Amino acid sequence: MTAPVLRLTRLCKSFGALRVTDDVSLEVGARELHAIIGPNGAGKTTLVHQISGLASSDSGRSMDARARAGLIRSFQLVSILPSFSALENVALAVQARRGASFRFVGRANAETALNDAAMAMLSRFGLAARADFTAGLMSHGEKRQLELAIAMAAEPKLLLLDEPLAGTSHEESARITATLKELKRELPIILVEHDMEAVFALADRVSVLVYGRIIASGSPDEVRHDPEVRSAYLGDEAEEAMA
Ligand SMILES: Nc1ncnc2c1ncn2[C@@H]1O[C@H](COP(=O)(O)OP(=O)(O)OP(=O)(O)O)[C@@H](O)[C@H]1O
Ligand SMILES: [Mg+2]
């Protein structure tokens, strides 16, 4: 791996007496999609929040606040504004990121430039035809694509995704998986996901979290053949996805 863009060192987090993440260390490389899998309640979402700074850590290190500001500022999926159009949702993200660079071109031109940039991002995610559609009325799969468009409009250095495939149909999930396959060529991604078919199709590395501890971390092949992983989590699920 080239120099990691993210390094977690021995992160811990407890809620009262419950230790939810326990001594978690992992690294994410520059062009790596690093999947974090594990059973319900394993601590995956908590770990995501620790990485983003949404939750504090009791001990251990992720990054200092400055590194986090540069790296992670805008990578997390924001929820969409349901009463705004798809285009407006993306335009707001573009403006938040690049508003200052539109300052010199005059009001009308700035608006055109903003809309052009937002439109380009929508097209990229297959939503050009939905530009003027009210975001809240889009299908579940389209909303997920829109969330990715909004996230990418913010020009993140790392994308952190917590179950982007949850609740999607098979078709929608295939669509989003294809999108993520493209995105991972561009930026590092941490993907928490229960859909093993997608995980094993996408991941460069997989870490398995069980009761807050990483019990295995390696290539998809290493992880899927790890006996401890199979008994703790994958079992039949893996056989099906791997067949
Ligand atoms: N704010 C909180 N206060 C108390 N307990 C919490 C809090 N957040 C999470 N927990 C507990 O921490 C444990 C891990 O939760 P977490 O949401 O991180 O799991 P997860 O791996 O994301 O699960 P899932 O796969 O179902 O999304 C659970 O037992 C949960 O009840
Ligand atoms: Mg979760």
Side-chain angles (χ1 to χ4, degrees):
M1 202 196 316
T2 50
V5 291
L6 177 70
R7 176 182 284 137
L8 310 181
T9 314
R10 314 198 63 173
L11 283 189
C12 295
K13 174 86 184 169
S14 298
F15 293 111
L18 181 67
R19 180 164 280 211
V20 174
T21 57
D22 192 1
D23 211 22
V24 173
S25 299
L26 63 83
E27 293 184 346
V28 182
R31 287 283 184 279
E32 187 180 62
L33 188 144
H34 195 127
I36 299 173
I37 63 174
N40 293 117
K44 303 179 298 296
T45 295
T46 302
L47 182 61
V48 163
H49 290 163
Q50 285 176 274
I51 297 170
S52 68
L54 204 62
S56 61
S57 296
D58 300 334
S59 61
R61 271 186 331 162
S62 55
M63 297 180 273
D64 64 47
R66 265 181 60 217
R68 179 181 285 146
L71 186 66
I72 298 202
R73 186 180 331 148
S74 48
F75 67 126
Q76 216 171 4
L77 290 193
V78 290
S79 41
I80 57 178
L81 298 167
S83 59
F84 286 73
S85 73
L87 186 71
E88 285 164 341
N89 267 278
V90 178
L92 283 169
V94 174
Q95 188 173 38
R97 178 75 183 118
R98 293 196 296 183
S101 63
F102 297 131
R103 200 179 295 149
F104 307 105
V105 296
R107 205 189 155 86
N109 287 339
E111 201 169 314
T112 308
L114 189 61
N115 279 338
D116 287 352
M119 199 61 204
M121 196 56 77
L122 279 180
S123 305
R124 202 181 151 191
F125 289 90
L127 294 172
R130 299 302 242 174
D132 297 324
F133 205 74
T134 303
L137 300 177
M138 295 169 103
S139 72
H140 188 74
E142 285 176 332
K143 282 181 191 154
R144 290 273 126 104
Q145 291 281 132
L146 179 60
E147 284 177 334
L148 287 173
I150 292 168
M152 289 304 290
E155 298 176 10
K157 299 254 180 359
L158 173 79
L159 201 54
L160 182 49
L161 304 173
D162 193 359
E163 299 199 37
L165 301 178
T168 56
S169 70
H170 190 73
E171 209 172 35
E172 291 168 338
S173 149
R175 176 85 208 247
I176 294 164
T177 303
T179 302
L180 294 181
K181 206 167 228 168
E182 298 228 323
L183 285 181
K184 76 172 202 166
R185 292 205 290 243
E186 227 173 281
L187 81 173
I189 300 176
I190 293 180
L191 171 69
V192 172
E193 187 48 64
H194 282 290
D195 180 336
M196 287 306 115
E197 198 183 328
V199 163
F200 285 103
L202 286 168
D204 302 297
R205 290 180 73 76
V206 180
S207 291
V208 186
L209 198 68
V210 177
Y211 293 122
R213 285 188 155 259
I214 295 201
I215 62 162
S217 190
S219 70
D221 251 348
E222 287 164 349
V223 164
R224 77 167 63 118
H225 293 120
D226 186 302
E228 197 184 345
V229 174
R230 298 186 78 88
S231 66
Y233 179 51
L234 287 177
D236 299 341
E237 216 170 339
E239 319 248 317
E240 277 161 36
M242 253 25 80

